[in-house]
Amino acid sequence: MRDTRESRLLLLLLVTIAFVLITVDIRGGEQSPLDNAKRGAAAAFGPVENGVATVVDPVGNAIEAVRDSGDRHSRISELERENAELRQRLGSDDRNRARAAELDKLLKTAGAGQYGIKGAQVIAIGAAQGLNWTVTIDAGSRDGIRRDMTVLNGDGLVGRVTTVGPTTATVLLANDPDFTVGTRLEKTSELGFATGQGDRPLQVQLLNGKAKVKKGDRMVTFGSEAGRPFVAGVPIGKVVRVEANRGDLTRTVYVEPFASFTRLDIVGVVVEPPRKDPRDTVLPPKPQPTPIPTVTVTVTPKPEGQEGVEGQVAEGDQAAGTDPNAAGADPNAVANPDEAAAQQDDGN
């Protein structure tokens, strides 16, 4: 429609009428004369509005979802990051507690044997030495580590240093087949040599083939001159089996190591040997067997005077003639008077 004078007048007229109707409706309040017209318009155009809303609402919701998806995605990413940090922190705390406990045990073992140690951490397993049982630690020549030094942890003997670099060193583990260490049996001090057997117990040959040894006996290192490659008194393990050889002239002893070679973390390298052989003092005390409970029967004594009362009752019974076994009583006497009378009648 062209912009003419008539169209402008019509538009002005319609605006004026709308303004008048709005004014009348507001002033009329609840009794507005336009209520009937509004209800009719609502009845007529309501279905149309619902249909339009049904078509338009999904589109609007989709647009709103697209707008909010970025915020939700950022929130989800933030929550996932926070959860990852919490899990990492929790795992780190557990690991720190475990390492602190392991370090405390190592320091107690070193203190019991008066070993001067340099702490280190296992950073690699099985270096480039073929099939040997070895680990790499994060301490080297700059830390005072030298070849052929004893390595231990809180449980006992771990191995000896074989290769040293500026910041790292390689340790040959005690269960390696090329590993041999002198042993001393607890209490009896019988000497021998232990050899590694991989994932099996250490094999020990005692110098005295007739030495008394049994399952559960424990062994420590015998020690080397100047404490290298082995210092004395380091716990090795306990006997798990004894086998006789050559007509019982010699025996092979199998020893389960105290240290677990598959769970090494914190270790100590003995950089200063003890001034005195600790012998068996580094071994922890043996666990005491659980005592077997015993049943005790307690006899309650009789109250004072009870025996006198029983004695009086007994004397009363004897006086009445009811005790046929009383001293001085006639064994043929009859306690019942009726029976006595019957016997007299029979006699007559």
Side-chain angles (χ1 to χ4, degrees):
M1 184 172 59
R2 294 179 298 174
D3 186 12
T4 60
R5 181 179 180 184
E6 290 80 5
S7 62
R8 288 196 296 271
L9 291 175
L10 179 59
L11 178 60
L12 179 61
L13 179 60
L14 292 175
V15 172
T16 304
I17 294 173
F19 181 76
V20 172
L21 292 176
I22 293 173
T23 303
V24 172
D25 183 50
I26 293 175
R27 290 184 176 181
E30 296 180 356
Q31 298 179 355
S32 173
L34 301 177
D35 284 345
N36 294 331
K38 289 191 294 183
R39 284 194 293 270
F45 295 104
V48 178
E49 292 176 352
N50 291 334
V52 173
T54 303
V55 176
V56 175
D57 282 348
V59 178
N61 294 335
I63 295 174
E64 189 68 21
V66 171
R67 291 176 180 174
D68 296 340
S69 62
D71 296 337
R72 287 198 295 269
H73 181 72
S74 300
R75 180 58 178 165
I76 292 174
S77 300
E78 183 179 357
L79 292 175
E80 290 178 349
R81 180 179 56 81
E82 291 178 356
N83 290 336
E85 290 179 355
L86 290 175
R87 287 194 298 268
Q88 183 178 3
R89 187 181 305 171
L90 181 60
S92 178
D93 292 342
D94 292 340
R95 183 183 179 188
N96 289 337
R97 283 192 292 268
R99 294 181 65 185
E102 191 171 354
L103 179 59
D104 182 67
K105 186 189 297 185
L106 171 63
L107 294 177
K108 289 180 179 179
T109 301
Q114 297 299 307
Y115 307 127
I117 64 170
K118 174 65 180 180
Q121 181 180 2
V122 175
I123 57 175
I125 299 175
Q129 282 85 10
L131 300 177
N132 292 347
W133 290 73
T134 60
V135 295
T136 302
I137 59 176
D138 61 351
S141 58
R142 296 179 182 177
D143 304 296
I145 308 301
R146 299 290 182 269
R147 179 183 171 87
D148 287 337
M149 283 186 170
T150 307
V151 182
L152 51 83
N153 65 1
D155 297 321
L157 181 66
V158 171
R160 62 180 176 87
V161 178
T162 57
T163 306
V164 181
T167 58
T168 61
T170 301
V171 178
L172 183 68
L173 300 181
N175 63 337
D176 187 272
D178 293 333
F179 187 94
T180 301
V181 59
T183 64
R184 183 196 299 273
L185 193 63
E186 182 184 12
K187 295 183 179 179
T188 63
S189 297
E190 294 287 347
L191 304 182
F193 293 95
T195 304
Q197 296 194 110
D199 55 357
R200 294 177 296 171
L202 305 178
Q203 181 176 329
V204 179
Q205 293 289 343
L206 296 177
L207 299 182
N208 181 7
K210 298 181 180 181
K212 294 182 180 180
V213 58
K214 63 182 182 301
K215 183 178 180 180
D217 289 346
R218 301 182 295 180
M219 293 184 177
V220 299
T221 56
F222 174 68
S224 307
E225 185 178 357
R228 295 177 63 178
F230 301 106
V231 295
V234 179
I236 296 177
K238 64 179 179 179
V239 177
V240 293
R241 191 169 76 254
V242 180
E243 292 182 355
N245 300 323
R246 299 179 183 177
D248 294 339
L249 295 179
T250 61
R251 284 176 293 177
T252 301
V253 180
Y254 295 92
V255 175
E256 185 71 26
F258 289 131
S260 176
F261 303 113
T262 60
R263 294 188 293 109
L264 295 174
D265 187 12
I266 303 297
V267 297
V269 182
V270 181
V271 295
E272 183 178 352
R275 297 180 180 179
K276 183 179 179 182
D277 187 350
R279 300 183 73 87
D280 302 337
T281 59
V282 186
L283 287 169
K286 284 188 175 182
Q288 298 296 329
T290 304
I292 301 175
T294 57
V295 179
T296 303
V297 179
T298 304
V299 178
T300 305
K302 296 180 179 180
E304 296 182 359
Q306 184 68 27
E307 296 178 356
V309 174
E310 293 179 353
Q312 294 177 2
V313 173
E315 292 176 0
D317 294 339
Q318 292 177 4
T322 58
D323 187 4
N325 296 325
D330 185 2
N332 297 323
V334 181
N336 193 338
D338 296 335
E339 292 180 359
Q343 290 178 0
Q344 292 178 358
D345 293 340
D346 294 336
N348 293 331

